Amino acid sequence: MPVSAFDLVIRNGTVVTATDVFKGDVGVTRGQIAAIGQKLAPGREEIDARGKLVLPGGIDSHTHIEQLSAAGIMNADTFESATRAAAFGGTTTVISFAAQHKGMSLRKVVDDYSVLAARGAMVDYAFHMIVSDPTEATLTRDLPALIAEGHASIKLFMTYDKLKVEDETLLDVLAVAREHKALVCVHAENHGMIAWMGRKLLAEGKTAPKYHAVSHPRASETEAFTRLISAAALIDQPIMIFHVSTAEGAAIVGDARRQGLKVFAETCPQYLFLTAADLDRPGLEGAKFMCSPPPRDKSDQEALWAALALGDLQTVSSDHAPYRFDASGKLSGGPNSTFKQIANGLPGLETRMPLMFDAMVSKKRPEFAGQALQSFVNLTATQPARIYNLAGKGNIAVGLDADIAIWDANRRVTLTDALMVGNTGYTPFAGRTVKGWPETVLVRGRTVARDGATVGPPGSGRHILRTGGWAAEPTGG
Ligand code: URP
Ligand code: ZN
Ligand code: ZN
């Protein structure tokens, strides 16, 4: 028996990175990419990728998994079901949240989420630490130690009654992050405007889901972005602005970056493919499309695509925040829930990559002409790996983890509730037909999904610790 040179060879595919597209073979040994070239020696296992695209697995850097909302509603996915959905949709690494609520020890929160993820995850993972109770012990003891241990990013909320930090506390956390080299990610909306609008709408009897969008005025985004960017500049601390939803928001981020400020930003498929009109459905059906900030309008979609192409926005995450459309989730306030009682968030882990591939590669969004495949890889894998310091991830190169999705660019799939493998029970993108599907998905050389079936197993995902602190370049796209 000849000795195989590699554990696995992915042969004759079209390999795509953020900068290149070329035909070749990828050799994998002990979970890492050992060689890239033509006519590689045999592998113990071989995958014939002729006619297929060999892409880095997706990195979804904003996902809520097994997380209790501030209103006390448990989201629908466990680490097992969420990472099954990730694998199914071509994503091989997720960053989810270790979510502190008031009165909780941040250390215990991180330990508890680590146990849940170690038990269930079938793709690799890391955590952003949500800080909602920045006590002396959190700021001076737990945060510095946890950052040093590899949890190199913090998440803050500027809205939500039970989670929000005020300006002074925002500065405290930015200063700790600067000292210990963590990235600070922020949900930036003006809380007062949203609360005031909500009260006013309810007083007028306007309770339907569509009023959720009205209650988050565009100015709530621009005001909070401006205040946040000013605070971060004062401390000279890099920030990541989550889920940019408006044209004005994207412009503020772009202007800040052009001034040399250390500002990153993401958007999500819900802001690229949905609009506020989706919330206007009979009964409470619009609740399925309710997230914060809300989807806006067509002109915002166009501006966000332009900002992605320009590099003003650097990543597209799902902000997967799954709540079932029943009494355990969206409808926990009963059949007459007002928009204020309905949990915010959409499922998106399994649809993010196919939706983006379809729009950028198959439907050829004009902003990415000539660079569609590379830009898709850049926005969904390479940039998130770089920005969040996920060593070994986000690219196809010798020495990196063999996190690979093999795509059939011609396969058409209609997204339906029944197709979804996560626990949410619906997708807000139901009815859309996408062209392009990740048919084989590998995490560190191990197959986790093939032909629509996920093969796990739970617990095989690895915790990616980001030691050495935050290391990405602050500017440069
Ligand atoms: O509506 C959303 N996005 N819910 C999840 C929590 C958050 O705001 O990120
Ligand atoms: Zn948010
Ligand atoms: Zn979120």
Side-chain angles (χ1 to χ4, degrees):
M1 280 272 283
V3 180
S4 303
F6 303 101
D7 295 339
L8 166 71
V9 175
I10 303 167
R11 205 170 284 286
N12 291 321
T14 298
V15 179
V16 184
T17 71
T19 50
D20 292 304
V21 180
F22 56 91
K23 290 231 171 5
D25 307 335
V26 179
V28 177
T29 298
R30 285 186 293 282
Q32 291 192 332
I33 298 170
I36 302 170
Q38 311 291 330
K39 297 190 183 359
L40 291 186
R44 203 161 35 80
E45 187 191 342
E46 298 251 340
I47 296 178
D48 178 10
R50 192 179 297 274
K52 306 282 161 61
L53 299 171
V54 179
L55 270 55
I59 295 180
D60 197 337
S61 49
H62 181 171
T63 65
H64 301 265
I65 301 176
E66 223 158 329
Q67 188 182 322
L68 196 64
S69 79
I73 303 171
M74 184 46 99
N75 79 29
D77 272 318
T78 60
F79 276 90
E80 180 177 341
S81 63
T83 56
R84 190 192 319 131
F88 179 73
T91 287
T92 50
T93 301
V94 297
I95 310 184
S96 65
F97 296 95
Q100 182 196 43
H101 293 285
K102 293 257 186 293
M104 289 181 175
S105 139
L106 188 60
R107 159 71 61 190
K108 181 160 176 2
V109 167
V110 172
D111 288 350
D112 289 351
Y113 276 95
S114 300
V115 169
L116 295 174
R119 190 161 59 209
M122 60 180 81
V123 306
D124 289 351
Y125 58 91
F127 295 110
H128 303 299
M129 299 178 287
I130 290 181
V131 174
S132 68
D133 198 3
T135 58
E136 188 70 13
T138 298
L139 292 178
T140 60
R141 186 192 63 200
D142 292 349
L143 265 179
L146 288 162
I147 295 166
E149 287 164 30
H151 309 286
S153 48
I154 297 166
K155 159 89 180 279
L156 296 176
F157 288 88
M158 293 170 78
T159 184
Y160 292 124
D161 282 321
K162 295 188 179 157
L163 297 173
K164 70 179 190 310
V165 294
E166 305 297 347
D167 292 355
E168 247 183 281
T169 319
L170 171 65
L171 291 166
D172 281 338
V173 177
L174 289 167
V176 170
R178 184 179 199 281
E179 188 179 347
H180 298 278
K181 294 195 169 54
L183 180 65
V184 177
C185 310
V186 185
H187 178 131
E189 290 186 284
N190 178 297
H191 183 73
M193 289 184 196
I194 296 167
W196 188 86
M197 289 291 288
R199 262 192 296 121
K200 191 167 142 49
L201 287 160
L202 292 186
E204 291 167 4
K206 295 174 175 161
T207 63
K210 68 178 176 184
Y211 294 109
H212 169 73
V214 182
S215 75
H216 288 244
R218 308 173 69 86
S220 65
E221 181 158 297
T222 51
E223 188 284 329
F225 282 18
T226 308
R227 183 158 41 100
L228 168 64
I229 290 169
S230 306
L234 178 66
I235 305 292
D236 189 26
Q237 162 61 27
I239 50 169
M240 160 60 77
I241 302 183
F242 273 167
H243 42 51
V244 176
S245 70
T246 62
E248 304 91 288
I252 289 170
V253 171
D255 287 349
R257 289 174 62 81
R258 278 180 279 284
Q259 287 171 45
L261 296 175
K262 297 167 183 169
V263 178
F264 296 95
E266 64 165 29
T267 191
C268 316
Q270 44 273 39
Y271 308 111
L272 297 168
F273 300 105
L274 302 177
T275 68
D278 285 299
L279 280 70
D280 188 7
R281 305 210 176 197
L284 292 182
E285 193 70 16
K288 290 182 177 173
F289 304 84
M290 272 181 59
C291 55
S292 289
R296 305 289 181 174
D297 61 34
K298 288 272 181 212
S299 61
D300 293 296
Q301 293 181 352
E302 292 304 311
L304 294 173
W305 281 114
L308 286 169
L310 265 176
D312 287 354
L313 308 179
Q314 300 79 44
T315 70
V316 177
S317 74
S318 67
D319 190 7
H320 180 76
Y323 296 99
R324 292 185 64 80
F325 191 62
D326 63 24
S328 72
K330 289 277 185 188
L331 308 182
S332 63
N336 299 316
S337 295
T338 70
F339 70 87
K340 273 293 188 192
Q341 293 171 295
I342 294 170
N344 290 189
L346 309 179
L349 251 170
E350 53 208 302
T351 48
R352 176 187 71 122
M353 298 286 284
L355 284 166
M356 293 301 292
F357 186 98
D358 178 61
M360 295 178 70
V361 181
S362 304
K363 297 206 172 78
K364 300 183 170 39
R365 285 284 325 178
E367 299 84 354
F368 305 98
Q371 291 285 313
L373 276 167
Q374 297 94 319
S375 301
F376 169 72
V377 165
N378 199 34
L379 290 170
T380 58
T382 308
Q383 288 276 49
R386 188 177 73 86
I387 291 172
Y388 294 104
N389 198 14
L390 290 162
K393 302 296 188 189
N395 203 350
I396 295 186
V398 171
L400 297 195
D401 289 349
D403 294 352
I404 291 172
I406 302 172
W407 286 70
D408 179 347
N410 294 314
R411 181 150 159 213
R412 286 176 203 275
V413 174
T414 299
L415 305 176
T416 61
D417 293 350
L419 183 75
M420 299 296 113
V421 301
N423 276 352
T424 319
Y426 79 91
T427 168
F429 305 103
R432 287 164 203 256
T433 297
V434 293
K435 185 171 163 218
W437 197 262
E439 58 179 31
T440 303
V441 182
L442 310 166
V443 175
R444 284 175 280 104
R446 186 175 40 79
T447 300
V448 291
R450 182 181 293 140
D451 294 331
T454 52
V455 288
S460 56
R462 189 179 283 171
H463 191 165
I464 307 300
L465 289 167
R466 295 166 294 144
T467 46
W470 181 81
E473 288 295 312
T475 55

